[in-house]
Amino acid sequence: MIIAVASGKGGTGKTTVTAALAANWNAPVAAVDLDVEEPNLHLFLHPAITGTEKGYIEIPKADEGMCTSCGACAELCQFKAIALIGDTLLTFPDMCHGCGGCIAVCPTGALTVDSRELGELCHGTSGNIAFHMGRLRIGEAMCPPLMKLVKHDVFSAYEDDSRDIILDSPPGASCPAVCAVSDADCVVLVTEPTPFGFYDFKIAYEAFSVFEKPMGVVVNKAGIGDRQVYDFCAEHNIPIWAEIPFERHIAEAYSTGAVITQAVPTLQPVFETLRQSIQESVHA
Amino acid sequence: MHEILVISGKGGAGKTTVTGAFAHLSENTILCDLDVDAPDFHLISQPEQYQHHEFWSGYEAKIRQEDCTQCGECFERCRFDAITHENGTFAVDPMKCEGCKVCVALCPAEAVDFTLKNCGEWYRSETRFGHLVHAQLYPGEENSGRLVALLKDEARKTAREHGHDILLADGAPGIGCPVISSLSGTDLAVFVTEPTPSGLHDLERVAALCDHFRVKGCVVINKYDLNTDMTEKIESFCAQQGYPVAGRVPHADAVTAAMVERKAVTEFDSTMYAAFDGIWKNVLSQL
């Protein structure tokens, strides 16, 4: 079972929910940080990291001696990563999406495969929880390629269903968030009942509902703001699986890097119910 | 003109709250919401649109089934797993297609169409704080970096036309494509952080990104009283790295209450007005 914990707005509590859900899961589980731009899950699960490797994307390398300046590569490239200026072929490695098209269309073999570092992939354990994360290299613009490498590692490691997988997704509703949600069996949307939270929640709901997966909501900081999130959920038959009340001591516990159900034991039943609701929705 | 960008690395640290307060306190400013994926600044500023444009960017491949010879070349070549092969039919999954044109160029039957995509819209508006240039990327779309670059260009045009002194931009979370795009031309980045492990961790990364692109930064510590030990840690990090701390903002119910009233927090609460007045002056002194 693959569960994506997502949200439109950042800072609504995705990582808090992922960490507590993993800590309260009743089967072998892997917690995976796919927010590769700003991964934070390790700050709460404090995993022992047992392996780190670099992730790469394939980019072209030009051999000027073999280039006949035909321009086929530059004409094909949609990402301004390769240009022919006069008789000089220029590559812009940071712009390349790694489609391999330029190398495929080059008639003389003047373009060969090189690589660009995307960032790191780390894995380890936190108690019984298997832990995985991607961390984007500072200055790297594209996160889906690194996210795909992390997903590939995780999905092949637990192909035999030996562990359920909880994905901590990046915020927003554009390509990185969609990349995280697309393979999940179930989506947990974390929101807060404020005008900002509600606006971004609607965008995320619209982006993810096209997948037609079971989806439920966690309302974090319940009690503040207004009722728009609740009204929208009622109107669209979106189940609210959990509410985490807004209390200063919960916010303070979060600020120390604690798993929320360990710091505030009264939240344990909330996460028990959330876990059951997720499992029932997937098995329904 | 000076360009100020409010970013945070971490989402939900308070970028839009800070931008709203600055917008209220500043004069002769052009405003810009560069979080095109999940823009929220309009919820405070309540813009009246006077221009509306479609944003067309990037292409999408589509296989014409009547011309497809089922050779499978596209399926083999696609690096993005965007070609599906079900019941003997090859098709493009639009959610996965990057618009790289490889399948179009290499299809021996020339059976793949390639059409420009409408990925979102952008607007020019009037607000009580001044002109605003903003956008909405459609859910699930790409090309946020290009839309950010477009918005900044359009904001600069408006600024030139009206003789604005400052371009104030609300940025996106993270350190990837849209944030990198928003740094171009920025004179000063304001990093909004909070005294939590995530707040500090993400501040370190977004500050490193700005160092990488040689953009100067200063720091606003939001909700500083939530964990004063952590606030001190953040301040010593800033002192070590040479990022001036423009100020601290207390954790206050007024932030949400102001948001519900569609107001900047400085319009709503006098304590917050006083706090942000000092912070805004410190930010301006960095220019």
Side-chain angles (χ1 to χ4, degrees):
Chain A
M1 182 189 304
I2 302 170
I3 301 118
V5 180
S7 77
K9 178 167 160 33
T12 55
K14 285 179 299 298
T15 305
T16 302
V17 168
T18 305
L21 204 51
N24 289 280
W25 205 250
N26 62 346
V29 69
V32 182
D33 200 339
L34 281 183
D35 186 358
V36 300
E37 293 181 49
E38 294 290 18
N40 291 148
L41 188 58
H42 65 289
L43 301 170
F44 296 87
L45 291 180
H46 307 285
I49 299 295
T50 50
T52 299
E53 60 236 40
K54 294 242 161 89
Y56 297 93
I57 188 170
E58 276 187 22
I59 61 167
K61 186 165 75 177
D63 179 338
E64 271 190 56
M66 292 172 77
C67 175
T68 57
S69 306
C70 74
C73 54
E75 195 189 327
L76 174 64
C77 181
Q78 298 295 303
F79 309 110
K80 303 191 173 96
I82 197 157
L84 191 66
I85 315 271
D87 280 343
T88 311
L89 191 65
L90 294 173
T91 58
F92 301 95
D94 287 342
M95 306 292 283
C96 179
H97 284 222
C99 72
C102 54
I103 298 170
V105 298
C106 176
T108 65
L111 291 171
T112 51
V113 175
D114 198 357
S115 65
R116 176 176 90 229
E117 188 196 324
L118 295 166
E120 285 177 345
L121 297 96
C122 310
H123 56 91
T125 52
S126 168
N128 294 325
I129 303 167
F131 174 84
H132 300 260
M133 77 186 279
R135 182 163 25 207
L136 198 69
R137 174 178 59 82
I138 302 282
E140 170 63 46
M142 290 163 219
C143 50
L146 182 62
M147 294 171 69
K148 284 178 193 168
L149 293 179
V150 177
K151 287 202 298 184
H152 178 265
D153 274 7
V154 171
F155 296 163
S156 46
Y158 312 116
E159 209 171 16
D160 54 357
D161 287 331
S162 57
R163 283 179 188 272
D164 292 324
I165 298 166
I166 307 177
L167 306 173
D168 190 4
S169 309
S174 65
C175 47
V178 168
C179 177
V181 166
S182 59
D183 298 295
D185 299 308
C186 162
V187 182
V188 179
L189 265 178
V190 186
T191 186
E192 57 181 41
T194 64
F196 290 0
F198 174 59
Y199 184 82
D200 299 349
F201 168 77
K202 271 192 303 182
I203 296 170
Y205 175 72
E206 204 182 314
F208 304 150
S209 54
V210 297
F211 291 111
E212 297 181 349
K213 299 172 192 295
M215 194 159 19
V217 174
V218 174
V219 180
N220 192 12
K221 305 182 195 172
I224 64 167
D226 54 31
R227 299 290 302 171
Q228 292 182 90
V229 167
Y230 296 96
D231 294 344
F232 184 87
C233 287
E235 204 179 307
H236 292 81
N237 285 319
I238 313 162
I240 292 174
W241 284 338
E243 284 186 85
I244 304 169
F246 176 75
E247 281 165 26
R248 195 177 165 106
H249 72 280
I250 297 179
E252 283 172 359
Y254 167 79
S255 81
T256 64
V259 173
I260 209 76
T261 46
Q262 284 158 11
V264 186
T266 49
L267 288 176
Q268 201 116 24
V270 174
F271 278 86
E272 287 288 309
T273 312
L274 175 60
R275 175 181 57 71
Q276 282 166 12
S277 304
I278 291 167
Q279 290 168 340
E280 280 163 19
S281 81
V282 174
H283 292 132
Chain B
M1 188 184 62
H2 295 292
E3 297 190 8
I4 300 173
L5 172 69
V6 181
I7 45 177
S8 63
K10 179 169 164 27
K15 285 181 297 298
T16 306
T17 297
V18 169
T19 307
F22 288 175
H24 176 219
L25 295 166
S26 68
E27 280 166 24
N28 201 21
T29 297
I30 171 85
L31 303 160
C32 200
D33 191 348
L34 298 179
D35 187 354
V36 298
D37 181 9
D40 288 335
F41 185 71
H42 67 280
L43 297 170
I44 287 185
S45 57
Q46 298 197 281
E48 296 217 1
Q49 281 176 29
Y50 64 89
Q51 264 183 36
H52 179 283
H53 305 264
E54 289 175 340
F55 172 62
W56 292 77
S57 181
Y59 288 81
E60 190 172 283
K62 195 167 183 226
I63 298 170
R64 286 190 313 280
Q65 295 303 331
E66 65 273 25
D67 296 322
C68 175
T69 60
Q70 316 289 326
C71 72
E73 181 77 13
C74 55
F75 185 82
E76 294 297 322
R77 293 283 185 178
C78 181
R79 295 275 176 94
F80 308 106
D81 299 324
I83 309 285
T84 58
H85 186 205
E86 279 164 25
N87 309 322
T89 306
F90 292 97
V92 178
D93 177 351
M95 294 303 273
K96 289 188 173 171
C97 178
E98 294 250 339
C100 70
K101 208 182 176 181
V102 166
C103 56
V104 181
L106 297 175
C107 174
E110 296 183 2
V112 189
D113 288 333
F114 202 49
T115 49
L116 196 58
K117 275 198 299 183
N118 180 8
C119 305
E121 40 199 63
W122 68 273
Y123 332 96
R124 277 183 213 281
S125 301
E126 296 268 15
T127 77
R128 64 188 183 284
F129 308 127
H131 290 279
L132 171 67
V133 180
H134 54 134
Q136 177 69 61
L137 197 69
Y138 292 145
E141 283 298 346
E142 302 168 28
N143 295 304
S144 57
R146 288 181 191 175
L147 183 51
V148 166
L150 180 150
L151 284 191
K152 268 203 133 173
D153 279 346
E154 294 298 335
R156 286 177 193 129
K157 277 185 210 164
T158 305
R160 274 196 296 273
E161 219 173 281
H162 296 268
H164 291 300
D165 301 320
I166 290 171
L167 188 158
L168 175 63
D170 191 7
I175 59 162
C177 168
V179 177
I180 290 175
S181 181
S182 65
L183 285 176
S184 142
T186 294
D187 297 297
L188 179 69
V190 177
F191 308 132
V192 182
T193 186
E194 59 178 35
T196 65
S198 305
L200 174 57
H201 174 270
D202 296 357
L203 168 66
E204 288 174 9
R205 281 171 65 79
V206 78
L209 182 77
C210 289
D211 288 347
H212 182 90
F213 289 108
R214 298 177 196 284
V215 173
K216 201 165 93 167
C218 68
V219 176
V220 172
I221 306 173
N222 193 15
K223 310 177 198 170
Y224 82 90
D225 50 344
L226 207 55
N227 185 332
T228 46
D229 290 345
M230 193 55 100
T231 292
E232 280 167 26
K233 253 191 200 174
I234 290 173
E235 284 175 340
S236 59
F237 164 78
C238 293
Q240 251 169 34
Q241 302 291 318
Y243 304 117
V245 177
R248 296 167 158 197
V249 181
H251 186 259
D253 296 341
V255 171
T256 307
M259 196 193 291
V260 170
E261 302 264 317
R262 304 290 193 261
K263 283 182 174 158
V265 71
T266 44
E267 293 176 295
F268 186 82
D269 184 280
S270 57
T271 320
M272 290 302 235
Y273 183 96
F276 274 106
D277 194 42
I279 293 171
W280 178 238
K281 286 184 180 127
N282 287 341
V283 167
L284 291 178
S285 74
Q286 296 298 320
L287 291 169

